[in-house]
PDB file of all heavy atoms in Angstrom:
ATOM      1  N   MET A 209      82.862  95.795  82.630  1.00 96.00           N
ATOM      2  CA  MET A 209      84.151  96.205  82.081  1.00 96.00           C
ATOM      3  C   MET A 209      84.042  96.422  80.570  1.00 96.00           C
ATOM      4  O   MET A 209      83.442  95.617  79.862  1.00 96.00           O
ATOM      5  CB  MET A 209      85.217  95.155  82.400  1.00 96.00           C
ATOM      6  CG  MET A 209      85.442  94.959  83.891  1.00 96.00           C
ATOM      7  SD  MET A 209      86.696  93.716  84.289  1.00 96.00           S
ATOM      8  CE  MET A 209      85.858  92.197  83.835  1.00 96.00           C
ATOM      9  N   PHE A 210      84.637  97.523  80.120  1.00 96.00           N
ATOM     10  CA  PHE A 210      84.628  97.869  78.705  1.00 96.00           C
ATOM     11  C   PHE A 210      86.051  98.103  78.207  1.00 96.00           C
ATOM     12  O   PHE A 210      86.928  98.505  78.974  1.00 96.00           O
ATOM     13  CB  PHE A 210      83.828  99.148  78.458  1.00 96.00           C
ATOM     14  CG  PHE A 210      82.342  99.012  78.641  1.00 96.00           C
ATOM     15  CD1 PHE A 210      81.742  99.344  79.847  1.00 96.00           C
ATOM     16  CD2 PHE A 210      81.540  98.567  77.605  1.00 96.00           C
ATOM     17  CE1 PHE A 210      80.365  99.235  80.021  1.00 96.00           C
ATOM     18  CE2 PHE A 210      80.167  98.449  77.762  1.00 96.00           C
ATOM     19  CZ  PHE A 210      79.574  98.782  78.971  1.00 96.00           C
ATOM     20  N   LEU A 211      86.241  97.899  76.904  1.00 95.00           N
ATOM     21  CA  LEU A 211      87.511  98.199  76.253  1.00 95.00           C
ATOM     22  C   LEU A 211      87.261  99.312  75.239  1.00 95.00           C
ATOM     23  O   LEU A 211      86.472  99.131  74.303  1.00 95.00           O
ATOM     24  CB  LEU A 211      88.067  96.968  75.541  1.00 95.00           C
ATOM     25  CG  LEU A 211      89.386  97.166  74.783  1.00 95.00           C
ATOM     26  CD1 LEU A 211      90.517  97.475  75.761  1.00 95.00           C
ATOM     27  CD2 LEU A 211      89.725  95.926  73.949  1.00 95.00           C
ATOM     28  N   PRO A 212      87.900 100.486  75.417  1.00 92.00           N
ATOM     29  CA  PRO A 212      87.727 101.562  74.437  1.00 92.00           C
ATOM     30  C   PRO A 212      88.316 101.163  73.081  1.00 92.00           C
ATOM     31  O   PRO A 212      89.465 100.742  73.000  1.00 92.00           O
ATOM     32  CB  PRO A 212      88.508 102.732  75.054  1.00 92.00           C
ATOM     33  CG  PRO A 212      88.572 102.425  76.515  1.00 92.00           C
ATOM     34  CD  PRO A 212      88.695 100.931  76.580  1.00 92.00           C
ATOM     35  N   LEU A 213      87.503 101.291  72.039  1.00 91.00           N
ATOM     36  CA  LEU A 213      87.935 101.033  70.665  1.00 91.00           C
ATOM     37  C   LEU A 213      87.511 102.224  69.819  1.00 91.00           C
ATOM     38  O   LEU A 213      86.341 102.335  69.429  1.00 91.00           O
ATOM     39  CB  LEU A 213      87.296  99.747  70.123  1.00 91.00           C
ATOM     40  CG  LEU A 213      87.705  98.434  70.791  1.00 91.00           C
ATOM     41  CD1 LEU A 213      86.892  97.274  70.217  1.00 91.00           C
ATOM     42  CD2 LEU A 213      89.200  98.173  70.601  1.00 91.00           C
ATOM     43  N   GLY A 214      88.449 103.132  69.577  1.00 86.00           N
ATOM     44  CA  GLY A 214      88.114 104.346  68.865  1.00 86.00           C
ATOM     45  C   GLY A 214      87.150 105.180  69.674  1.00 86.00           C
ATOM     46  O   GLY A 214      87.409 105.524  70.832  1.00 86.00           O
ATOM     47  N   ASP A 215      85.997 105.476  69.097  1.00 87.00           N
ATOM     48  CA  ASP A 215      84.986 106.278  69.783  1.00 87.00           C
ATOM     49  C   ASP A 215      83.921 105.425  70.474  1.00 87.00           C
ATOM     50  O   ASP A 215      82.923 105.949  70.965  1.00 87.00           O
ATOM     51  CB  ASP A 215      84.293 107.212  68.786  1.00 87.00           C
ATOM     52  CG  ASP A 215      85.246 108.243  68.200  1.00 87.00           C
ATOM     53  OD1 ASP A 215      86.188 108.633  68.910  1.00 87.00           O
ATOM     54  OD2 ASP A 215      85.053 108.641  67.032  1.00 87.00           O
ATOM     55  N   SER A 216      84.119 104.126  70.501  1.00 91.00           N
ATOM     56  CA  SER A 216      83.119 103.235  71.096  1.00 91.00           C
ATOM     57  C   SER A 216      83.723 102.425  72.236  1.00 91.00           C
ATOM     58  O   SER A 216      84.943 102.414  72.448  1.00 91.00           O
ATOM     59  CB  SER A 216      82.555 102.283  70.030  1.00 91.00           C
ATOM     60  OG  SER A 216      83.574 101.443  69.528  1.00 91.00           O
ATOM     61  N   LEU A 217      82.846 101.757  72.990  1.00 93.00           N
ATOM     62  CA  LEU A 217      83.260 100.894  74.087  1.00 93.00           C
ATOM     63  C   LEU A 217      82.762  99.479  73.810  1.00 93.00           C
ATOM     64  O   LEU A 217      81.575  99.271  73.562  1.00 93.00           O
ATOM     65  CB  LEU A 217      82.690 101.393  75.416  1.00 93.00           C
ATOM     66  CG  LEU A 217      83.222 102.723  75.952  1.00 93.00           C
ATOM     67  CD1 LEU A 217      82.439 103.133  77.198  1.00 93.00           C
ATOM     68  CD2 LEU A 217      84.703 102.627  76.272  1.00 93.00           C
ATOM     69  N   LYS A 218      83.684  98.518  73.894  1.00 95.00           N
ATOM     70  CA  LYS A 218      83.327  97.115  73.690  1.00 95.00           C
ATOM     71  C   LYS A 218      83.190  96.430  75.041  1.00 95.00           C
ATOM     72  O   LYS A 218      84.137  96.457  75.845  1.00 95.00           O
ATOM     73  CB  LYS A 218      84.412  96.405  72.864  1.00 95.00           C
ATOM     74  CG  LYS A 218      84.238  94.883  72.736  1.00 95.00           C
ATOM     75  CD  LYS A 218      85.405  94.273  72.005  1.00 95.00           C
ATOM     76  CE  LYS A 218      85.349  92.736  71.999  1.00 95.00           C
ATOM     77  NZ  LYS A 218      84.165  92.242  71.251  1.00 95.00           N
ATOM     78  N   PRO A 219      82.057  95.810  75.346  1.00 96.00           N
ATOM     79  CA  PRO A 219      81.927  95.091  76.616  1.00 96.00           C
ATOM     80  C   PRO A 219      82.839  93.871  76.639  1.00 96.00           C
ATOM     81  O   PRO A 219      82.867  93.098  75.686  1.00 96.00           O
ATOM     82  CB  PRO A 219      80.454  94.693  76.654  1.00 96.00           C
ATOM     83  CG  PRO A 219      80.020  94.683  75.222  1.00 96.00           C
ATOM     84  CD  PRO A 219      80.825  95.735  74.529  1.00 96.00           C
ATOM     85  N   ILE A 220      83.627  93.718  77.707  1.00 96.00           N
ATOM     86  CA  ILE A 220      84.614  92.637  77.768  1.00 96.00           C
ATOM     87  C   ILE A 220      84.454  91.741  78.992  1.00 96.00           C
ATOM     88  O   ILE A 220      85.123  90.705  79.098  1.00 96.00           O
ATOM     89  CB  ILE A 220      86.053  93.191  77.740  1.00 96.00           C
ATOM     90  CG1 ILE A 220      86.257  94.215  78.872  1.00 96.00           C
ATOM     91  CG2 ILE A 220      86.357  93.815  76.373  1.00 96.00           C
ATOM     92  CD1 ILE A 220      87.672  94.728  78.997  1.00 96.00           C
ATOM     93  N   GLY A 221      83.598  92.111  79.930  1.00 96.00           N
ATOM     94  CA  GLY A 221      83.434  91.250  81.095  1.00 96.00           C
ATOM     95  C   GLY A 221      82.645  91.913  82.205  1.00 96.00           C
ATOM     96  O   GLY A 221      82.310  93.101  82.138  1.00 96.00           O
ATOM     97  N   LEU A 222      82.350  91.125  83.202  1.00 97.00           N
ATOM     98  CA  LEU A 222      81.639  91.579  84.389  1.00 97.00           C
ATOM     99  C   LEU A 222      82.509  91.322  85.616  1.00 97.00           C
ATOM    100  O   LEU A 222      83.453  90.535  85.561  1.00 97.00           O
ATOM    101  CB  LEU A 222      80.314  90.828  84.543  1.00 97.00           C
ATOM    102  CG  LEU A 222      79.359  90.865  83.353  1.00 97.00           C
ATOM    103  CD1 LEU A 222      78.165  89.946  83.620  1.00 97.00           C
ATOM    104  CD2 LEU A 222      78.897  92.284  83.063  1.00 97.00           C
ATOM    105  N   ALA A 223      82.180  91.984  86.695  1.00 96.00           N
ATOM    106  CA  ALA A 223      82.843  91.687  87.959  1.00 96.00           C
ATOM    107  C   ALA A 223      81.788  91.641  89.054  1.00 96.00           C
ATOM    108  O   ALA A 223      80.803  92.392  89.023  1.00 96.00           O
ATOM    109  CB  ALA A 223      83.910  92.725  88.286  1.00 96.00           C
ATOM    110  N   TYR A 224      81.999  90.728  89.987  1.00 96.00           N
ATOM    111  CA  TYR A 224      81.088  90.540  91.113  1.00 96.00           C
ATOM    112  C   TYR A 224      81.853  90.798  92.402  1.00 96.00           C
ATOM    113  O   TYR A 224      83.061  90.553  92.476  1.00 96.00           O
ATOM    114  CB  TYR A 224      80.529  89.121  91.111  1.00 96.00           C
ATOM    115  CG  TYR A 224      79.794  88.765  89.835  1.00 96.00           C
ATOM    116  CD1 TYR A 224      80.468  88.179  88.768  1.00 96.00           C
ATOM    117  CD2 TYR A 224      78.435  89.035  89.697  1.00 96.00           C
ATOM    118  CE1 TYR A 224      79.805  87.861  87.582  1.00 96.00           C
ATOM    119  CE2 TYR A 224      77.763  88.721  88.518  1.00 96.00           C
ATOM    120  CZ  TYR A 224      78.463  88.130  87.463  1.00 96.00           C
ATOM    121  OH  TYR A 224      77.799  87.826  86.307  1.00 96.00           O
ATOM    122  N   SER A 225      81.160  91.293  93.411  1.00 93.00           N
ATOM    123  CA  SER A 225      81.850  91.602  94.662  1.00 93.00           C
ATOM    124  C   SER A 225      80.965  91.318  95.863  1.00 93.00           C
ATOM    125  O   SER A 225      79.737  91.286  95.766  1.00 93.00           O
ATOM    126  CB  SER A 225      82.302  93.066  94.674  1.00 93.00           C
ATOM    127  OG  SER A 225      81.194  93.945  94.660  1.00 93.00           O
ATOM    128  N   ASN A 226      81.628  91.097  96.989  1.00 90.00           N
ATOM    129  CA  ASN A 226      80.993  90.948  98.297  1.00 90.00           C
ATOM    130  C   ASN A 226      81.726  91.839  99.282  1.00 90.00           C
ATOM    131  O   ASN A 226      82.943  92.023  99.175  1.00 90.00           O
ATOM    132  CB  ASN A 226      81.100  89.507  98.818  1.00 90.00           C
ATOM    133  CG  ASN A 226      80.075  88.584  98.206  1.00 90.00           C
ATOM    134  OD1 ASN A 226      79.084  89.017  97.654  1.00 90.00           O
ATOM    135  ND2 ASN A 226      80.320  87.295  98.309  1.00 90.00           N
ATOM    136  N   MET A 227      81.012  92.386 100.240  1.00 88.00           N
ATOM    137  CA  MET A 227      81.659  93.069 101.343  1.00 88.00           C
ATOM    138  C   MET A 227      81.999  92.028 102.409  1.00 88.00           C
ATOM    139  O   MET A 227      81.131  91.255 102.816  1.00 88.00           O
ATOM    140  CB  MET A 227      80.750  94.140 101.932  1.00 88.00           C
ATOM    141  CG  MET A 227      80.452  95.295 100.994  1.00 88.00           C
ATOM    142  SD  MET A 227      81.928  96.219 100.497  1.00 88.00           S
ATOM    143  CE  MET A 227      82.499  96.837 102.084  1.00 88.00           C
ATOM    144  N   VAL A 228      83.260  91.991 102.833  1.00 86.00           N
ATOM    145  CA  VAL A 228      83.698  91.047 103.864  1.00 86.00           C
ATOM    146  C   VAL A 228      84.434  91.812 104.953  1.00 86.00           C
ATOM    147  O   VAL A 228      84.922  92.918 104.725  1.00 86.00           O
ATOM    148  CB  VAL A 228      84.612  89.943 103.270  1.00 86.00           C
ATOM    149  CG1 VAL A 228      83.863  89.133 102.231  1.00 86.00           C
ATOM    150  CG2 VAL A 228      85.866  90.538 102.661  1.00 86.00           C
ATOM    151  N   GLY A 229      84.515  91.220 106.129  1.00 84.00           N
ATOM    152  CA  GLY A 229      85.150  91.881 107.261  1.00 84.00           C
ATOM    153  C   GLY A 229      86.659  91.946 107.136  1.00 84.00           C
ATOM    154  O   GLY A 229      87.278  91.251 106.330  1.00 84.00           O
ATOM    155  N   LEU A 230      87.255  92.792 107.969  1.00 79.00           N
ATOM    156  CA  LEU A 230      88.714  92.910 107.991  1.00 79.00           C
ATOM    157  C   LEU A 230      89.331  91.568 108.339  1.00 79.00           C
ATOM    158  O   LEU A 230      88.966  90.946 109.336  1.00 79.00           O
ATOM    159  CB  LEU A 230      89.147  93.961 109.021  1.00 79.00           C
ATOM    160  CG  LEU A 230      88.863  95.422 108.681  1.00 79.00           C
ATOM    161  CD1 LEU A 230      89.211  96.311 109.863  1.00 79.00           C
ATOM    162  CD2 LEU A 230      89.664  95.842 107.464  1.00 79.00           C
ATOM    163  N   GLY A 231      90.260  91.121 107.528  1.00 77.00           N
ATOM    164  CA  GLY A 231      90.939  89.866 107.792  1.00 77.00           C
ATOM    165  C   GLY A 231      90.140  88.627 107.468  1.00 77.00           C
ATOM    166  O   GLY A 231      90.614  87.509 107.679  1.00 77.00           O
ATOM    167  N   ALA A 232      88.918  88.793 106.967  1.00 83.00           N
ATOM    168  CA  ALA A 232      88.087  87.628 106.652  1.00 83.00           C
ATOM    169  C   ALA A 232      88.617  86.913 105.415  1.00 83.00           C
ATOM    170  O   ALA A 232      89.234  87.519 104.539  1.00 83.00           O
ATOM    171  CB  ALA A 232      86.648  88.067 106.413  1.00 83.00           C
ATOM    172  N   ALA A 233      88.377  85.603 105.362  1.00 88.00           N
ATOM    173  CA  ALA A 233      88.807  84.820 104.208  1.00 88.00           C
ATOM    174  C   ALA A 233      87.991  85.218 102.985  1.00 88.00           C
ATOM    175  O   ALA A 233      86.794  85.504 103.084  1.00 88.00           O
ATOM    176  CB  ALA A 233      88.639  83.333 104.494  1.00 88.00           C
ATOM    177  N   LEU A 234      88.648  85.234 101.835  1.00 90.00           N
ATOM    178  CA  LEU A 234      87.957  85.574 100.598  1.00 90.00           C
ATOM    179  C   LEU A 234      87.207  84.364 100.069  1.00 90.00           C
ATOM    180  O   LEU A 234      87.577  83.220 100.339  1.00 90.00           O
ATOM    181  CB  LEU A 234      88.967  86.043  99.542  1.00 90.00           C
ATOM    182  CG  LEU A 234      89.789  87.279  99.866  1.00 90.00           C
ATOM    183  CD1 LEU A 234      90.717  87.608  98.694  1.00 90.00           C
ATOM    184  CD2 LEU A 234      88.888  88.457 100.168  1.00 90.00           C
ATOM    185  N   PRO A 235      86.152  84.582  99.300  1.00 91.00           N
ATOM    186  CA  PRO A 235      85.486  83.447  98.643  1.00 91.00           C
ATOM    187  C   PRO A 235      86.474  82.722  97.737  1.00 91.00           C
ATOM    188  O   PRO A 235      87.477  83.297  97.305  1.00 91.00           O
ATOM    189  CB  PRO A 235      84.380  84.126  97.832  1.00 91.00           C
ATOM    190  CG  PRO A 235      84.160  85.444  98.496  1.00 91.00           C
ATOM    191  CD  PRO A 235      85.498  85.867  99.009  1.00 91.00           C
ATOM    192  N   SER A 236      86.192  81.482  97.437  1.00 90.00           N
ATOM    193  CA  SER A 236      87.096  80.694  96.594  1.00 90.00           C
ATOM    194  C   SER A 236      86.431  80.219  95.313  1.00 90.00           C
ATOM    195  O   SER A 236      87.030  79.497  94.531  1.00 90.00           O
ATOM    196  CB  SER A 236      87.618  79.477  97.369  1.00 90.00           C
ATOM    197  OG  SER A 236      86.536  78.664  97.805  1.00 90.00           O
ATOM    198  N   GLY A 237      85.187  80.617  95.106  1.00 92.00           N
ATOM    199  CA  GLY A 237      84.496  80.163  93.918  1.00 92.00           C
ATOM    200  C   GLY A 237      83.423  81.135  93.486  1.00 92.00           C
ATOM    201  O   GLY A 237      83.118  82.120  94.183  1.00 92.00           O
ATOM    202  N   LEU A 238      82.855  80.866  92.329  1.00 92.00           N
ATOM    203  CA  LEU A 238      81.778  81.670  91.786  1.00 92.00           C
ATOM    204  C   LEU A 238      80.705  80.734  91.270  1.00 92.00           C
ATOM    205  O   LEU A 238      80.954  79.941  90.354  1.00 92.00           O
ATOM    206  CB  LEU A 238      82.299  82.558  90.646  1.00 92.00           C
ATOM    207  CG  LEU A 238      81.287  83.490  89.971  1.00 92.00           C
ATOM    208  CD1 LEU A 238      80.720  84.477  90.982  1.00 92.00           C
ATOM    209  CD2 LEU A 238      81.946  84.239  88.814  1.00 92.00           C
ATOM    210  N   ALA A 239      79.538  80.765  91.891  1.00 89.00           N
ATOM    211  CA  ALA A 239      78.420  79.886  91.536  1.00 89.00           C
ATOM    212  C   ALA A 239      78.845  78.416  91.525  1.00 89.00           C
ATOM    213  O   ALA A 239      78.502  77.660  90.626  1.00 89.00           O
ATOM    214  CB  ALA A 239      77.850  80.279  90.176  1.00 89.00           C
ATOM    215  N   GLY A 240      79.630  78.036  92.549  1.00 88.00           N
ATOM    216  CA  GLY A 240      80.043  76.644  92.688  1.00 88.00           C
ATOM    217  C   GLY A 240      81.252  76.256  91.876  1.00 88.00           C
ATOM    218  O   GLY A 240      81.674  75.090  91.898  1.00 88.00           O
ATOM    219  N   THR A 241      81.858  77.202  91.168  1.00 89.00           N
ATOM    220  CA  THR A 241      83.034  76.920  90.352  1.00 89.00           C
ATOM    221  C   THR A 241      84.253  77.623  90.943  1.00 89.00           C
ATOM    222  O   THR A 241      84.160  78.800  91.306  1.00 89.00           O
ATOM    223  CB  THR A 241      82.816  77.428  88.909  1.00 89.00           C
ATOM    224  OG1 THR A 241      81.658  76.805  88.367  1.00 89.00           O
ATOM    225  CG2 THR A 241      84.011  77.112  88.033  1.00 89.00           C
ATOM    226  N   PRO A 242      85.411  76.948  91.081  1.00 91.00           N
ATOM    227  CA  PRO A 242      86.603  77.612  91.607  1.00 91.00           C
ATOM    228  C   PRO A 242      86.937  78.862  90.798  1.00 91.00           C
ATOM    229  O   PRO A 242      86.905  78.849  89.567  1.00 91.00           O
ATOM    230  CB  PRO A 242      87.694  76.544  91.455  1.00 91.00           C
ATOM    231  CG  PRO A 242      86.953  75.245  91.479  1.00 91.00           C
ATOM    232  CD  PRO A 242      85.657  75.521  90.763  1.00 91.00           C
ATOM    233  N   ALA A 243      87.232  79.973  91.494  1.00 92.00           N
ATOM    234  CA  ALA A 243      87.520  81.238  90.819  1.00 92.00           C
ATOM    235  C   ALA A 243      88.498  82.055  91.656  1.00 92.00           C
ATOM    236  O   ALA A 243      88.549  81.929  92.882  1.00 92.00           O
ATOM    237  CB  ALA A 243      86.232  82.021  90.580  1.00 92.00           C
ATOM    238  N   GLU A 244      89.253  82.892  90.976  1.00 90.00           N
ATOM    239  CA  GLU A 244      90.278  83.717  91.623  1.00 90.00           C
ATOM    240  C   GLU A 244      89.687  85.043  92.101  1.00 90.00           C
ATOM    241  O   GLU A 244      89.370  85.913  91.303  1.00 90.00           O
ATOM    242  CB  GLU A 244      91.417  84.003  90.632  1.00 90.00           C
ATOM    243  CG  GLU A 244      92.499  84.943  91.162  1.00 90.00           C
ATOM    244  CD  GLU A 244      93.490  85.367  90.098  1.00 90.00           C
ATOM    245  OE1 GLU A 244      93.481  84.782  88.994  1.00 90.00           O
ATOM    246  OE2 GLU A 244      94.289  86.287  90.379  1.00 90.00           O
ATOM    247  N   TRP A 245      89.524  85.176  93.412  1.00 94.00           N
ATOM    248  CA  TRP A 245      89.039  86.416  94.004  1.00 94.00           C
ATOM    249  C   TRP A 245      90.213  87.249  94.493  1.00 94.00           C
ATOM    250  O   TRP A 245      91.284  86.717  94.796  1.00 94.00           O
ATOM    251  CB  TRP A 245      88.108  86.131  95.180  1.00 94.00           C
ATOM    252  CG  TRP A 245      86.762  85.595  94.811  1.00 94.00           C
ATOM    253  CD1 TRP A 245      86.486  84.360  94.300  1.00 94.00           C
ATOM    254  CD2 TRP A 245      85.507  86.264  94.922  1.00 94.00           C
ATOM    255  NE1 TRP A 245      85.136  84.219  94.080  1.00 94.00           N
ATOM    256  CE2 TRP A 245      84.509  85.374  94.464  1.00 94.00           C
ATOM    257  CE3 TRP A 245      85.129  87.537  95.373  1.00 94.00           C
ATOM    258  CZ2 TRP A 245      83.154  85.717  94.442  1.00 94.00           C
ATOM    259  CZ3 TRP A 245      83.778  87.879  95.357  1.00 94.00           C
ATOM    260  CH2 TRP A 245      82.815  86.972  94.891  1.00 94.00           C
ATOM    261  N   HIS A 246      90.017  88.544  94.584  1.00 91.00           N
ATOM    262  CA  HIS A 246      91.028  89.431  95.155  1.00 91.00           C
ATOM    263  C   HIS A 246      90.331  90.456  96.035  1.00 91.00           C
ATOM    264  O   HIS A 246      89.118  90.663  95.925  1.00 91.00           O
ATOM    265  CB  HIS A 246      91.862  90.119  94.065  1.00 91.00           C
ATOM    266  CG  HIS A 246      91.060  90.811  93.019  1.00 91.00           C
ATOM    267  ND1 HIS A 246      90.463  90.151  91.955  1.00 91.00           N
ATOM    268  CD2 HIS A 246      90.732  92.119  92.862  1.00 91.00           C
ATOM    269  CE1 HIS A 246      89.830  91.014  91.185  1.00 91.00           C
ATOM    270  NE2 HIS A 246      89.967  92.201  91.711  1.00 91.00           N
ATOM    271  N   ALA A 247      91.087  91.070  96.937  1.00 88.00           N
ATOM    272  CA  ALA A 247      90.483  91.980  97.916  1.00 88.00           C
ATOM    273  C   ALA A 247      90.959  93.405  97.709  1.00 88.00           C
ATOM    274  O   ALA A 247      92.090  93.661  97.291  1.00 88.00           O
ATOM    275  CB  ALA A 247      90.826  91.526  99.328  1.00 88.00           C
ATOM    276  N   HIS A 248      90.067  94.342  98.045  1.00 85.00           N
ATOM    277  CA  HIS A 248      90.409  95.753  98.077  1.00 85.00           C
ATOM    278  C   HIS A 248      89.983  96.308  99.421  1.00 85.00           C
ATOM    279  O   HIS A 248      88.897  96.004  99.912  1.00 85.00           O
ATOM    280  CB  HIS A 248      89.730  96.503  96.939  1.00 85.00           C
ATOM    281  CG  HIS A 248      90.113  95.981  95.595  1.00 85.00           C
ATOM    282  ND1 HIS A 248      91.390  96.068  95.110  1.00 85.00           N
ATOM    283  CD2 HIS A 248      89.404  95.319  94.655  1.00 85.00           C
ATOM    284  CE1 HIS A 248      91.450  95.505  93.913  1.00 85.00           C
ATOM    285  NE2 HIS A 248      90.266  95.015  93.626  1.00 85.00           N
TER     286      HIS A 248
END
């Protein structure tokens, strides 16, 4: 993820994803730490 600042892009974060089945439960953590996942 980048944030446009004038003519440049500032790196602001990363995102990780998994493919999961229809109706499957989402992960609840990231590398053993509780984290907020969302589905698309």
Side-chain angles (χ1 to χ4, degrees):
M209 298 180 289
F210 290 95
L211 178 66
L213 294 175
D215 295 329
S216 63
L217 292 174
K218 172 184 173 64
I220 55 175
L222 305 174
Y224 302 91
S225 65
N226 280 342
M227 294 299 298
V228 298
L230 289 174
L234 299 181
S236 59
L238 181 61
T241 302
E244 176 189 349
W245 288 70
H246 52 280
H248 300 295

